[in-house]
Amino acid sequence: GSTMASSLAQEIDLVLNHNIAKDINLKVGFSALDGSDTLGAFKSGDPSTLNYWGWTMITFKPKFLTGE
C-alpha cells in the first residue's frame, strides 16, 4: 500500500587510467554505493550502510596481425 522512492541507490566511481606501455593499460578504481529504503525492500541487509569497494584492471592489447 505505501509508495516507495523510484531510486534504488546512488553510486560514485573514481577511476585512475594510465597507459603503462603501448599495448598495456592500467585502471584502478574506487566505488561507493549508498542504498535507499527501496533497495532494502528488494535485497536483504541494511540499506543505510555505505558499501564501498576497490578494483584493478590490466588490459593487454597486442597487435599481432596489423603490422604495427
Side-chain angles (χ1 to χ4, degrees):
S2 65
T3 302
M4 293 185 177
S6 61
S7 173
L8 292 177
Q10 294 183 22
E11 181 176 343
I12 187 165
D13 301 305
L14 302 172
V15 179
L16 171 65
N17 184 19
H18 179 67
N19 291 322
I20 297 172
K22 179 181 173 186
D23 298 333
I24 302 172
N25 179 266
L26 171 68
K27 289 184 180 165
V28 178
F30 175 80
S31 299
L33 181 115
D34 184 23
S36 69
D37 290 335
T38 305
L39 181 62
F42 289 102
K43 184 168 174 64
S44 64
D46 184 2
S48 65
T49 302
L50 182 64
N51 295 283
Y52 53 92
W53 60 95
W55 53 271
T56 303
M57 179 171 69
I58 298 174
T59 306
F60 177 57
K61 292 184 182 180
K63 297 181 180 155
F64 295 115
L65 303 175
T66 62
E68 293 181 31

